[in-house]
Amino acid sequence: MEDKFARDRQRMVASDLRAKGITDPGVLKVMGRIRREDFVKEPYQLQAYADGPLPIGMGQTISQPYIVALMTQELRLNRHCEVLEIGTGSGYQTAVLSGLAKKVYTIERFAPLSESAQAVLGGLGIDNVEFYIGDGSCGWPDERTFDRIIITAAVPKIPEPLTEQLVEGGLMVAPVGCGGVQELVVCEKRNGKIIERVICDVRFVKLFGEYGFDET
Ligand code: SAM
């Protein structure tokens, strides 16, 4: 089974990432190494390398590998970057970011998902991630700025507290839109202003919270 997963992972990198336009060598290397099967429960492990989202509990999903790769590539990470991730979910995207950045700060609203992600990353020996359980639409709870921000759930518009926590010259990537299909947007902070660039259409679960969607 171990061999099958390893073969499937290499096929995923070749056919679902590189062949579809992912060129960043760091992203391809890290995603060729991280075992996606570790981030889903048993009934879904055999589908871990199909290029689609999978259920992770609490009505949430682990994102499609191609979209994880695309969002990570758009962040243009280096080993000096401190990254804020909103929506820890299974922790798979967190693990990918941690392999390319100096430190990752990740927020999840559902405690069971955050706790499960903490256990998986801990088991993998990943020690450059800080977890927080709460409403990520309000940003990291203490006054801090980040070189990169990634929102892994759909927002009606970019949450103001997150633009405030992005450094000058920093990049943020997020699915933005109110319908079932959103636009994947890359934001760059220049002279205190946010410049947005649309990459493609995407489908994400909603980000609920004070600066996200209303749950009522
Ligand atoms: N990137 C994750 C992965 O690799 O498994 C998948 C993220 S999933 C598509 C979106 C996540 O955002 C869900 O786990 C959901 O609970 C979380 N979420 C939704 N609203 C949130 C909020 N206000 N603050 C933090 N997390 C939130």
Side-chain angles (χ1 to χ4, degrees):
M1 192 57 88
E2 187 62 34
D3 282 357
K4 175 190 154 28
F5 283 134
R7 278 197 307 276
D8 286 355
R9 191 158 52 248
Q10 295 322 312
R11 186 213 50 76
M12 174 194 80
V13 169
S15 310
D16 298 330
L17 308 186
R18 196 180 279 120
K20 292 182 183 165
I22 303 300
T23 53
D24 183 317
V27 174
L28 294 168
K29 191 171 171 194
V30 168
M31 289 186 67
R33 175 165 57 77
I34 294 176
R35 298 155 41 98
R36 192 169 184 253
E37 66 271 24
D38 289 348
F39 294 82
V40 290
K41 298 276 179 280
E42 223 245 304
Y44 300 109
Q45 284 179 336
L46 288 173
Q47 301 166 53
Y49 295 102
D51 193 25
L54 291 169
I56 54 171
M58 313 298 294
Q60 306 303 315
T61 51
I62 181 173
S63 305
Q64 177 190 353
Y66 170 72
I67 295 297
V68 171
L70 181 63
M71 292 175 82
T72 310
Q73 177 166 271
E74 289 296 338
L75 286 175
R76 289 191 261 138
L77 293 167
N78 62 60
R79 276 294 177 196
H80 302 289
C81 287
E82 295 208 319
V83 185
L84 174 62
E85 178 191 38
I86 311 300
T88 314
S90 68
Y92 177 70
Q93 171 83 73
T94 321
V96 172
L97 296 169
S98 77
L100 296 164
K102 179 179 169 195
K103 182 147 184 180
V104 182
Y105 297 78
T106 184
I107 307 180
E108 170 58 51
R109 69 195 284 253
F110 289 121
L113 293 182
S114 178
E115 285 156 8
S116 165
Q118 289 179 46
V120 176
L121 268 69
L124 294 174
I126 293 173
D127 60 3
N128 61 340
V129 178
E130 213 166 297
F131 296 85
Y132 180 78
I133 297 166
D135 179 5
S137 75
C138 298
W140 193 255
D142 63 30
E143 276 191 26
R144 187 182 277 281
T145 53
F146 299 92
D147 305 297
R148 304 287 188 265
I149 298 179
I150 177 169
I151 310 177
T152 71
V155 285
K157 60 178 192 142
I158 300 290
E160 180 106 24
L162 298 182
T163 60
E164 279 165 16
Q165 288 195 329
L166 186 65
V167 298
E168 178 63 26
L171 295 171
M172 171 162 25
V173 60
V176 182
C178 293
V181 177
Q182 308 93 31
E183 289 179 332
L184 187 63
V185 171
V186 178
C187 306
E188 188 167 2
K189 197 172 190 177
R190 285 269 165 236
N191 302 319
K193 291 207 172 70
I194 295 293
I195 299 156
E196 294 190 4
R197 182 166 54 92
V198 175
I199 301 296
C200 62
D201 285 349
V202 285
R203 282 174 188 276
F204 272 83
V205 294
K206 287 180 175 172
L207 186 104
F208 291 104
E210 193 175 336
Y211 295 87
F213 286 94
D214 199 340
E215 254 179 306
T216 53

